């Protein structure tokens, strides 16, 4: 009985690296919310962003399971739907959000040394 299958360490390190990258991405999103949102609405906007992230973590596995093709052992339909969703979000971002951002504001204390 082999309790330590080959590849276990590599798979574990890969999942730890993915978790770290996801954490950095999440931190980046919330940092931008704090910079770009109006000061009195940062909490509300952060809540909406969190809800969108929660839904994004809940529905894709359901879609992948519902579109799994057992005959070919393929998730291709679900993956194509995820790609289509990402492309729709990209087009929406380019069209609807273009030109709506404020100039970059550096919070006090994070600005570099003055010349």
């Amino acid at each position: 009985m082999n309790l330590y299958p080959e590849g276990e360490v590599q798979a574990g390190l890969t999942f730890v690296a993915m978790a770290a990258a996801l954490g950095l991405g999440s931190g980046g999103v919330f940092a931008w919310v704090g910079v770009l949102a109006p000061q009195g609405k940062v909490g509300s906007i952060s809540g909406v962003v969190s809800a969108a992230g929660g839904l994004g973590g809940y529905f894709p596995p359901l879609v992948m399971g519902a579109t799994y093709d057992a005959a070919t052992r393929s998730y291709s339909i679900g993956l194509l739907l995820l790609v289509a969703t990402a492309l729709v979000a990209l087009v929406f971002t380019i069209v609807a959000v273009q030109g709506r951002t404020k100039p970059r504001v550096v919070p006090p204390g994070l600005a570099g040394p003055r010349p």
Side-chain angles (χ1 to χ4, degrees):
M1 177 188 250
N2 184 4
L3 296 178
Y4 299 102
E6 294 180 27
E8 182 176 293
V9 173
Q10 294 87 354
L13 291 175
T14 301
F15 279 104
V16 169
M18 287 191 304
L22 288 170
L24 288 173
S26 176
V29 167
F30 286 103
W32 275 109
V33 168
V35 171
L36 294 177
Q39 192 161 3
K41 296 185 178 186
V42 172
S44 300
I45 294 173
S46 293
V48 170
V49 170
S50 294
L55 291 174
Y58 179 75
F59 283 109
L62 294 177
V63 170
M64 296 299 285
T67 59
Y68 177 69
D69 185 7
T72 60
R73 300 179 62 164
S74 172
Y75 289 99
S76 60
I77 294 172
L79 292 172
L80 289 173
L81 289 172
L82 289 174
V83 168
T85 303
L87 290 175
V88 168
L90 176 66
V91 169
F92 174 78
T93 302
I94 291 171
V95 172
V97 183
Q98 185 178 16
R100 289 190 180 187
T101 59
K102 294 188 258 179
R104 183 164 189 257
V105 177
V106 178
L110 294 180
R114 296 183 182 187

